[in-house]
Amino acid sequence: MSEKRKGSTSKSRRGHRPGESVRILIPNARVRQRLKQLAREIRRDFPNEPLHLIGVLKGSVFFLADLARELGGEVSFDFLSVSSYGKGIDSTGEVKLIKDLDVSIEGRSVLVVEDILDTGLTLKYLLRFFEEKKPKHLRVVVLLDKVERRIADVRADYTGFTIPNEFVVGYGLDYDERYRNLPDVCVLQFGSRARVKSE
Ligand code: IMP
C-alpha cells in the first residue's frame, strides 16, 4: 500500500471533526523530493558555511527536521514563536513575539525556516527583528507560498511550492492546533460530512 493511501484512509487517526474534511494537495513523497532540491540550492549558495536554522514554531517543525537532514555540513537550530493568527483561518494581521531565540545570531549565517508565506506580515516582522541582531547572512526558506494573498512586500529566498489561495493543513500546519500530524499537505474543507478524500 502506498504511503499516500495508508495516510489518507483512517479518519479517526487523523482527528477530524464533523463538518471538516481534507484533500491531499502535496503528497509527503513530493515534499521530501522537493526538500532534497532545496537543500542542494541552499548548499550551493553556502557550500562550506555553518548554517543556523531558525524554525518558526510550530508549523515549521517537520519542515525544519526534514530539511536539516538533507542539508549536510554544519547545521545548528533554534526556534522562536510568534502569533499572527488566532483560532481559525483569518489573520488578525497582528504579530506578537511569544518565544524569543535561545542564542545570539550575531555574525552567523541564518536560515529562517517558515511553513507558509501568506500575507507576508509575519515574515516582515521577523526580518526586521532578525536584521537588528546583525547576522552575517539572513536568508528565508518557506515550504509553501500563497502568492495571491500577499500584503507585505516580502519574498523568500527559497520556496518549496507556490500554492493557490486555499487553507492548508498537515506536515506541521494546523487548524486550531489540529491536523499538524498529517503527513501530506492537504486542503482543509468545510462541509456537512466529515470524510477524508484522497486524490
Ligand atoms: P502571514 O503573516 O499572513 O504570511 O501568515 C503566516 C502564518 O500564518 C504562517 O506561519 C501560518 O502559521 C499561518 N497560515 C497562513 N496560511 C495558512 C494556512 O493555509 N494554513 C495554516 N496556517 C496558515
Side-chain angles (χ1 to χ4, degrees):
M1 196 184 270
S2 75
E3 215 185 319
K4 174 172 145 186
R5 211 155 272 291
K6 263 195 290 178
S8 61
T9 48
S10 171
K11 195 163 62 180
S12 55
R13 260 193 329 174
R14 287 177 157 193
H16 294 155
R17 298 205 176 159
E20 295 174 7
S21 63
V22 295
R23 168 172 61 81
I24 295 173
L25 182 67
I26 311 169
N28 184 272
R30 217 172 132 225
V31 172
R32 302 296 285 269
Q33 210 177 36
R34 182 73 185 116
L35 295 201
K36 286 185 200 294
Q37 294 169 340
L38 283 177
R40 272 200 296 273
E41 276 178 52
I42 294 165
R43 269 298 175 212
R44 210 176 295 137
D45 295 345
F46 297 95
N48 304 308
E49 196 91 21
L51 285 173
H52 189 59
L53 271 49
I54 298 182
V56 184
L57 293 171
K58 303 166 199 165
S60 70
V61 168
F62 298 137
F63 178 36
L64 184 143
D66 289 339
L67 181 68
R69 282 177 287 189
E70 296 295 343
L71 276 172
E74 195 177 319
V75 167
S76 52
F77 311 152
D78 201 350
F79 292 93
L80 100 172
S81 179
V82 289
S83 77
S84 51
Y85 275 51
K87 284 180 151 199
I89 61 174
D90 287 319
S91 174
T92 58
E94 237 174 78
V95 183
K96 212 166 70 185
L97 185 71
I98 307 284
K99 183 217 165 287
D100 203 343
L101 298 174
D102 290 339
V103 293
S104 165
I105 58 168
E106 192 172 337
R108 305 180 89 157
S109 294
V110 169
L111 182 65
V112 181
V113 183
E114 252 283 45
D115 52 359
I116 187 164
L117 197 46
D118 188 34
T119 63
L121 293 168
T122 307
L123 186 60
K124 190 176 171 191
Y125 169 90
L126 288 173
L127 288 175
R128 208 177 300 145
F129 179 80
F130 292 135
E131 270 157 13
E132 280 172 10
K133 298 178 186 299
K134 305 201 177 351
K136 181 176 169 193
H137 300 285
L138 182 60
R139 298 286 186 275
V140 178
V141 58
V142 295
L143 179 65
L144 307 170
D145 190 352
K146 280 199 236 176
V147 186
E148 278 173 62
R149 293 258 306 163
R150 196 77 82 255
I151 294 173
D153 183 22
V154 286
R155 50 174 291 277
D157 299 285
Y158 310 96
T159 300
F161 302 91
T162 298
I163 61 164
N165 181 14
E166 305 213 65
F167 195 82
V168 288
V169 293
Y171 196 68
L173 288 140
D174 76 307
Y175 172 66
D176 269 1
E177 295 299 325
R178 292 179 284 113
Y179 298 104
R180 289 194 197 276
N181 58 327
L182 295 182
D184 312 297
V185 175
C186 300
V187 173
L188 179 62
Q189 297 170 316
F190 299 93
S192 53
R193 287 170 49 211
R195 64 206 160 100
V196 181
K197 282 191 222 159
S198 81
E199 284 186 331

